[in-house]
Amino acid sequence: MRWGLIGASNIAANHMIGAIRGAGGDIRSVLSADADRAKAYAAEHGIAKGYADLDAMLAADDLDAVYISTTNEKHFPQAMSAIAAGKHVLCEKPLAMSVADAVTMVRAAEAAGLVFGTNHHLRNAGTHLAIRDAVAAGRIGDVLSVRVFHAVYLPPVLQGWRLDNPAAGGGVIPDIVVHDADTVRFHLGEDPVDVVAIDGVSGLGKGVEDSCMSVWTMPSGAMVMAHESFTHAHARTGFEIYGTKGAIVARNVMTQAPVGEILLRSDAGEEALPYSDHNLYLRSLNLFHAAIQGQGRPAADGIDGIKSLAVAAAVAKAAKTGQRTTVDYGGV
Ligand code: NDP
């Protein structure tokens, strides 16, 4: 599988280049808005070609798939160009700046017969697969509520556009609420109906929110409480699901590394759930390659990306208006 990287990003350097290569992919080229940076990034990562012009990169006709990890406002036009050129697309979250744009890009890929994936890494984690299996097996009964703890301290290397550039998709809601929405959907197998939310600035955000708390209702009647932040240096992440027969209490699981602890509590007592410690991003790539070969689907597909964005958009609107807000999934 021949890959092009659209975006000379940190996430590509730290996780995705290794994952693509680990899954047997051949990275042919990388795109940056800056020609010198494209060349330097290509040289640093052993990539043959660096481009500053997406049309030229796509016209070289030596790619099967692209991985898009630019800032968020660029995902939509770059995905549309790649789809028009017949490339499969693995796109970073949030898919776009609006649900309507996300729907357009996912529908365009479908119409062209191309595989479209959203790089929601958490549903690839051994921890979350183990939690999902326990819930699906009925080990905690019917789900009553979920609490998501995803308040972290944004590493200094990432303290750029996320904190001061709403036009690039900055803010903790587009950055982290999308992951939490995807993870809740993954575990509960249903989509949030409506939300209430409050956002705020607690030390880092300049013109965008750096913290958010929200409550979501689910079709089953379950309630979800979510907390996201860029400013919490000493909070550990967590994911808790409470059911009629038991509870799952997971710590340090909203992370890029294959780590964390999962406790299942019921009338029978407490037990630690075992889980696989495979690389999250490599699993995503393996599933994406298989989908291109006609086997299965990406870990998170385009519809999953639309839905996580729709929940984040509803949270943003609810925080802005102070109103309980129905999630608009854009007709998907
Ligand atoms: P970065 O800030 O590292 O990269 C975004 C863009 O910023 C790059 O495309 C690049 O532009 C530019 N850039 C990056 N580093 C430099 C630099 N040193 N000097 C000049 N320009 C630079 O963003 P992230 O990697 O953190 O995020 C990229 C995307 O990936 C976002 O959509 C984000 O939401 C998503 N993401 C997803 C994660 C996941 O686990 N699924 C984790 C982290 C991010 P150019 O390409 O033009 O050179």
Side-chain angles (χ1 to χ4, degrees):
M1 204 63 62
R2 301 167 304 167
W3 282 85
L5 305 182
I6 297 181
S9 66
N10 280 300
I11 178 73
N14 294 337
H15 295 281
M16 294 302 287
I17 291 174
I20 291 170
R21 289 179 172 151
D26 176 13
I27 302 174
R28 296 287 178 99
S29 51
V30 58
L31 178 88
S32 167
D34 179 272
D36 290 339
R37 192 171 140 72
K39 281 201 192 93
Y41 193 96
E44 184 181 349
H45 297 287
I47 299 168
K49 295 191 272 184
Y51 288 93
D53 177 353
L54 179 57
D55 291 338
M57 179 175 169
L58 296 170
D61 205 21
D62 59 353
L63 303 176
D64 301 303
V66 297
Y67 166 60
I68 300 177
S69 65
T70 44
T71 47
N72 302 339
E73 86 288 9
K74 294 182 178 169
H75 296 175
F76 173 66
Q78 290 170 333
M80 293 305 287
S81 296
I83 292 163
K87 313 304 175 198
H88 303 287
V89 174
L90 178 58
C91 187
E92 270 305 341
K93 43 49 68 169
L95 287 188
M97 299 292 282
S98 73
V99 174
D101 282 354
V103 171
T104 300
M105 57 211 263
V106 171
R107 292 294 185 223
E110 268 171 25
L114 298 165
V115 174
F116 190 103
T118 307
N119 204 33
H120 279 306
H121 60 294
L122 290 170
R123 57 165 70 205
N124 289 288
T127 48
H128 286 289
L129 290 163
I131 294 169
R132 193 266 322 260
D133 289 349
V135 173
R139 297 203 59 195
I140 60 169
D142 297 330
V143 174
L144 299 169
S145 63
V146 176
R147 301 198 300 185
V148 189
F149 307 95
H150 207 155
V152 297
Y153 189 78
L154 190 65
V157 69
L158 298 183
Q159 290 184 17
W161 57 271
R162 277 182 179 78
L163 296 176
D164 65 6
N165 193 345
V172 80
I173 295 175
D175 201 55
I176 304 187
V177 172
V178 286
H179 280 313
D180 296 343
D182 185 66
T183 308
V184 167
R185 291 186 58 249
F186 181 65
H187 289 310
L188 270 52
E190 56 180 353
D191 302 328
V193 177
D194 59 7
V195 307
V196 294
I198 294 178
D199 66 6
V201 176
S202 57
L204 285 179
K206 301 174 202 81
V208 298
E209 80 289 344
D210 61 23
S211 294
C212 181
M213 292 187 179
S214 58
V215 175
W216 319 341
T217 64
M218 304 300 284
S220 63
M223 297 172 72
V224 177
M225 188 173 86
H227 179 201
E228 296 82 13
S229 180
F230 287 149
T231 65
H232 286 45
H234 305 292
R236 287 183 87 196
T237 66
F239 197 97
E240 300 179 349
I241 312 184
Y242 298 97
T244 50
K245 293 199 306 194
I248 290 170
V249 177
R251 284 286 175 268
N252 196 22
V253 290
M254 309 306 281
T255 165
Q256 297 173 310
V259 297
E261 306 93 44
I262 317 167
L263 194 69
L264 193 149
R265 186 186 301 143
S266 69
D267 287 345
E270 291 187 345
E271 70 177 279
L273 287 189
Y275 65 86
S276 162
D277 64 355
H278 59 260
N279 181 298
L280 287 62
Y281 297 93
L282 180 58
R283 181 177 184 275
S284 168
L285 256 294
N286 281 328
L287 290 173
F288 193 82
H289 280 175
I292 290 174
Q293 281 146 12
Q295 291 152 16
R297 59 185 286 277
D301 63 16
I303 300 295
D304 294 316
I306 293 169
K307 290 189 172 180
S308 65
L309 174 59
V311 175
V315 167
K317 187 172 171 191
K320 193 169 172 210
T321 61
Q323 301 293 313
R324 185 166 176 158
T325 301
T326 300
V327 183
D328 178 356
Y329 289 102
V332 301

